[in-house]
Amino acid sequence: MKRLKQLLVVCFLLTGAGNVRAQVAFSFVPQVHGRTLDGLLMVRIANPAAQKAIVTLTVTVTEQRGGRVVAIQTPPFELLPGSNVLPAGLVARSSIHFAANKLGDVTRQSGYFTEGDYEYCFELADINKQKEVIGQQCFDYFLEPFSPLLLMTPGEQDVICDKKPSFFWQPLLPAIPGMQYRLVLVELKSGQAKVEALHYNTPIINQLNIAMPMLFYPSIARQLEEGKQYVWQVTAYKNDMKLADSEVWNFTVSCTDSSKKALPESFRNIEDLAQGNFYLAKNELLFAVKNVYDKNTLSYQIKCITQPDQKIKKLPQIKLERGINHVTIDLSENRSFIDGYYYILTVKLPSGEEKQLRFLYKKEQE
């Protein structure tokens, strides 16, 4: 009897008085596809009905402060039962209306949305039923521009002896859930441009699905050769959507001068490091600070970016002399620092000015 009542309730919800019908649902990732005009039509539509329908889609983008930015109305297309992607080339045949404001002008000229708090609304209408709305859904997202995807090491025009080097780059920020990286490494032949080599030469490494901004040399890849030049590039992507490309850097493998010993990393001015906004800390942080005042103690703190709730303890006290000070902060013996994690150093200079340095900690065996 109880089962019969449950079935009756389900039947009533599905049929009602003949007016109740399941609506379509939209799947849209504003973190990825809400950045460009073309990305708006990367939406997926789930149609629970068993029949096909001829529909039009209207997409409206609004910024909280700036108001309406753009409205797109597609020509009619066929909606199939189940999951649907929009037909290729639909955006080129759509009617696009930009708002007569600054945001509308910028989007029309560039095809990109600027930083802002956006609402993306989708409305689907059935042409054969007097344009009856069969689905509506909105998505909110605060859009921040991506930081540049910067390569770190091997550096541009570096000469290295390692024939199986590790690769490091700065992560793309803001982080997108599910974002991954692809790294391509090819040989640079005589007379070739770097981009030409990347596009036409057979890759030595073509690694997909890299979760972290680093790649240890793949064991299946052949080792690099003495005296040859190589170029590499990193791409950030999510699913089939490319988010950003790095520059193309080249380096040379050369071990001919075996008499040269590895020199310790030089102490660079904290001002220069802060401008570059990235640093690879191999066991320790090294930087120079100029103090034109009397002797005092350096005011600084370090926070973890990878795991923000992690507490950094037992940082050494740094005494500053008058003039140029070479500061060494040993990280290798401090358990607060984890190999492969990102951190940010904030230094309050004797002048009162603050400088920040984001760095990747790499623990290396002595």
Side-chain angles (χ1 to χ4, degrees), residues 2-263:
K2 183 177 180 181
R3 180 174 178 79
L4 179 60
K5 288 181 179 179
Q6 291 175 336
L7 289 172
L8 289 173
V9 170
V10 171
C11 290
F12 176 78
L13 291 173
L14 291 176
T15 60
N19 296 325
V20 179
R21 60 172 294 174
Q23 286 197 330
V24 301
F26 300 91
S27 177
F28 181 69
V29 185
Q31 299 96 318
V32 178
H33 301 128
R35 297 177 173 274
T36 66
L37 202 61
D38 290 345
L40 297 178
L41 296 188
M42 299 295 287
V43 63
R44 286 180 175 270
I45 305 174
N47 178 20
Q51 299 83 25
K52 299 178 183 178
I54 303 300
V55 298
T56 61
L57 176 67
T58 301
V59 186
T60 306
V61 181
T62 306
E63 205 279 321
Q64 186 177 31
R65 294 185 178 180
R68 175 77 63 88
V69 180
V70 66
I72 302 175
Q73 185 170 36
T74 70
F77 63 93
E78 189 175 56
L79 184 71
L80 303 175
S83 180
N84 292 257
V85 295
L86 299 189
L90 196 62
V91 68
R93 296 183 286 116
S94 297
S95 174
I96 304 176
H97 301 280
F98 295 97
N101 55 34
K102 184 177 180 180
L103 289 176
D105 291 341
V106 171
T107 306
R108 179 176 59 250
Q109 293 169 9
S110 67
Y112 286 81
F113 296 102
T114 60
E115 180 175 350
D117 195 353
Y118 288 92
E119 181 183 56
Y120 308 85
C121 290
F122 299 84
E123 181 179 284
L124 201 69
D126 192 328
I127 294 296
N128 295 329
K129 294 188 177 181
Q130 299 181 341
K131 296 187 177 181
E132 175 190 350
V133 175
I134 59 174
Q136 283 181 317
Q137 195 168 348
C138 293
F139 302 83
D140 296 319
Y141 180 63
F142 184 80
L143 188 153
E144 297 178 86
F146 284 129
S147 64
L149 184 54
L150 301 178
L151 303 181
M152 289 174 50
T153 184
E156 171 71 336
Q157 298 184 350
D158 267 1
V159 178
I160 65 173
C161 183
D162 192 351
K163 296 180 181 179
K164 291 187 175 182
S166 296
F167 299 89
F168 296 88
W169 57 94
Q170 183 171 339
L172 189 66
L173 297 173
I176 301 296
M179 178 177 69
Q180 295 179 313
Y181 299 99
R182 173 191 180 191
L183 187 147
V184 177
L185 171 76
V186 302
E187 181 184 342
L188 178 64
K189 297 181 180 178
S190 178
Q192 273 190 318
K194 292 187 290 185
V195 174
E196 178 189 1
L198 197 71
H199 288 162
Y200 294 107
N201 295 356
T202 302
I204 299 168
I205 298 175
N206 186 3
Q207 183 74 48
L208 295 166
N209 305 322
I210 306 171
M212 297 293 290
M214 65 182 71
L215 178 68
F216 296 112
Y217 201 89
S219 59
I220 60 173
R222 72 176 189 271
Q223 72 174 19
L224 306 183
E225 298 181 37
E226 167 78 17
K228 290 189 175 182
Q229 291 191 60
Y230 299 89
V231 297
W232 65 296
Q233 184 183 44
V234 173
T235 300
Y237 65 95
K238 178 172 180 177
N239 299 329
D240 297 327
M241 181 74 174
K242 182 172 73 173
L243 303 178
D245 283 324
S246 73
E247 294 182 305
V248 181
W249 279 9
N250 74 292
F251 63 92
T252 303
V253 176
S254 178
C255 305
T256 53
D257 192 352
S258 58
S259 63
K260 289 185 179 180
K261 296 183 179 180
L263 297 174

